[in-house]
Amino acid sequence: TLLGLFIAYNQWRKAQNAVRARDAARRELLNQQAADAFDNLSREAITLAENLRSRNWSHATETAAVVRRTISKADGAWSKRLEATESDQLEVAIKTLAEIADSIPLTMEQDIAADQVQQMVIRCGYICDVAARLAGRLQYEREEGRTNGGPTS
């Protein structure tokens, strides 16, 4: 019976280790997906800034819609992985994007002042910075998990 208890304990320990490894792999995958989503958002914000700078209003409008969809999806999908201050920054970025989108002229014939375009580009930079910071932190956590006994170490 002592041998049976020893075998049962070893099986239980192996099962617990397998569960921990599975959970660590899942966290790593989720962090990578979140990092990729925020990295993509950062690139889209840069594209929006380029369209604004070139005063290509139709492309800027389309890109703003893509960025809005991406930022909303990222907020909905990954908000639980964010710290409180990061969630606040993302919320500000969402509001900033709405302000940018509302400021884009509806037709190519309409124009806005150069300083207003510059302010819109700066705001895109803020969105890009927030997204890049989030992607970087999530990527760092993923890498840190690997070096501290995560599933791939």
Side-chain angles (χ1 to χ4, degrees):
T1 61
L2 196 54
L3 180 61
L5 286 174
F6 179 73
I7 292 171
Y9 173 74
N10 278 340
Q11 292 299 329
W12 174 82
R13 202 174 70 197
K14 286 179 186 179
Q16 292 300 311
N17 287 340
V19 167
R20 279 194 292 277
R22 183 201 65 209
D23 291 347
R26 184 173 186 274
R27 275 191 308 276
E28 183 179 322
L29 175 64
L30 290 175
N31 274 0
Q32 183 59 48
Q33 289 175 335
D36 289 347
F38 286 112
D39 191 46
N40 185 41
L41 173 59
S42 179
R43 284 192 304 274
E44 289 174 354
I46 290 169
T47 301
L48 176 58
E50 291 169 351
N51 287 331
L52 292 169
R53 191 176 289 119
S54 67
R55 297 175 179 265
N56 189 337
W57 305 135
S58 62
H59 283 132
T61 301
E62 292 170 16
T63 306
V66 169
V67 175
R68 179 174 274 172
R69 185 173 54 249
T70 302
I71 201 169
S72 295
K73 186 177 176 182
D75 182 39
W78 308 114
S79 60
K80 290 182 180 179
R81 304 202 79 70
L82 303 180
E83 297 171 3
T85 57
E86 293 171 334
S87 291
D88 292 344
Q89 291 171 348
L90 188 59
E91 189 63 35
V92 170
I94 290 169
K95 290 176 182 176
T96 299
L97 176 63
E99 293 169 1
I100 293 168
D102 291 343
S103 300
I104 299 172
L106 299 176
T107 65
M108 292 297 286
E109 291 76 34
Q110 291 178 308
D111 202 17
I112 56 178
D115 61 331
Q116 188 177 356
V117 172
Q118 184 63 27
Q119 285 302 310
M120 293 166 72
V121 169
I122 290 170
R123 288 176 168 181
C124 286
Y126 173 78
I127 296 168
C128 177
D129 291 346
V130 167
R133 254 193 318 275
L134 294 174
R137 195 219 7 116
L138 291 163
Q139 182 67 34
Y140 172 78
E141 277 187 10
R142 178 176 173 264
E143 294 299 324
E144 187 68 17
R146 284 182 171 193
T147 59
N148 288 332
T152 56
S153 61

